[in-house]
Amino acid sequence: MTVRPFIPYEDRRLHIPAEPVAAVTETVRMLWDDMIETMDAMPGVGLAAPQIGIMMRLAVVDASDKRGQAVRMANPELLHASTQTRKHDEASPNIPGISAIIERPRAVTVRFLNDQGEVEDRDFVGLWATSVQHQIDHLNGMTYLDHLSPLRRKMLLQKAKKLARR
């Protein structure tokens, strides 16, 4: 397993949709392993393949109190979202030094190919749901900054640039 480097926010790959995964192969499983190691090294509660420059619809999420509970997902799609929302301070290693409060549905149902290559529908609540939605955004070519007003996004990106120059 390898900790992979993150691509910068300006990289075009973070702003375009990733390609669907045809099947869960040994290569996909090895990528998931690297992604989990990379996520744990951040430390973080989720990671999408485009964040490390791999344009495949792969994500991992582990919002457990103890590590080792990661859910591996290929081609995740949102089936249902609760009307009740939850606010959470979100960040990304692709944009170091900044974060923003984002409001998302508190619970979601997601369909994905699991690590056995089987279609699975799973409910996620709380931080798990927030992280899954954050990762699906990445797979769709979005970041959490896309949920902000243009002015707020511009201010945060300016702050990130100043921090990077230090």
Side-chain angles (χ1 to χ4, degrees), residues 67-95:
R67 301 313 277 192
Q69 307 298 312
V71 177
R72 295 162 170 84
M73 296 179 280
N75 306 327
E77 61 179 301
L78 200 61
L79 297 179
H80 175 75
S82 68
T83 56
Q84 186 180 29
T85 60
R86 172 182 188 277
K87 291 181 181 180
H88 187 75
D89 192 18
E90 296 188 31
S92 174
N94 305 99
I95 322 163

Side-chain angles (χ1 to χ4, degrees), residues 14 20-22 24-26 38 47 66 72 85 95 99 101 116 119 124 141 144 154-155 157:
L14 280 179
V21 174
V24 174
T25 63
E26 192 55 35
T38 303
L47 183 68
K66 57 182 179 173
R72 295 162 170 84
T85 60
I95 322 163
S99 64
I101 302 294
Q116 301 303 308
V119 175
F124 296 93
Y144 72 94
K154 181 179 178 182
M155 290 172 46
L157 288 171

Side-chain angles (χ1 to χ4, degrees), residues 3 18 22 26 33 35 44-46 78-80 86 88 94 103 106 110 116 120 147-148 152 158:
V3 173
E26 192 55 35
D33 289 344
M35 290 171 65
V45 295
L78 200 61
L79 297 179
H80 175 75
R86 172 182 188 277
H88 187 75
N94 305 99
E103 187 170 2
R106 186 189 72 78
V110 177
Q116 301 303 308
E120 182 176 335
H147 292 274
L148 302 174
R152 179 78 174 125
Q158 287 173 341

Side-chain angles (χ1 to χ4, degrees), residues 16-152:
I16 59 173
E19 294 296 320
V21 174
V24 174
T25 63
E26 192 55 35
T27 299
V28 166
R29 289 184 182 95
M30 288 189 307
L31 282 170
W32 273 328
D33 289 344
D34 285 357
M35 290 171 65
I36 291 168
E37 188 158 326
T38 303
M39 172 186 65
D40 288 344
M42 276 190 273
V45 295
L47 183 68
Q51 293 181 269
I52 55 174
I54 298 168
M55 297 310 295
M56 298 171 68
R57 293 187 71 81
L58 296 173
V60 294
V61 176
D62 189 348
S64 62
D65 291 334
K66 57 182 179 173
R67 301 313 277 192
Q69 307 298 312
V71 177
R72 295 162 170 84
M73 296 179 280
N75 306 327
E77 61 179 301
L78 200 61
L79 297 179
H80 175 75
S82 68
T83 56
Q84 186 180 29
T85 60
R86 172 182 188 277
K87 291 181 181 180
H88 187 75
D89 192 18
E90 296 188 31
S92 174
N94 305 99
I95 322 163
I98 63 169
S99 64
I101 302 294
I102 306 296
E103 187 170 2
R104 297 183 185 268
R106 186 189 72 78
V108 295
T109 303
V110 177
R111 175 171 291 155
F112 57 94
L113 290 177
N114 63 24
D115 57 351
Q116 301 303 308
E118 299 166 344
V119 175
E120 182 176 335
D121 292 356
R122 187 180 290 194
D123 296 326
F124 296 93
V125 179
L127 184 56
W128 284 90
T130 297
S131 184
V132 167
Q133 293 170 83
H134 183 110
Q135 306 325 313
I136 291 173
D137 277 355
H138 276 300
L139 299 176
N140 291 333
M142 296 175 57
T143 70
Y144 72 94
L145 294 179
D146 293 312
H147 292 274
L148 302 174
S149 71
L151 178 61
R152 179 78 174 125

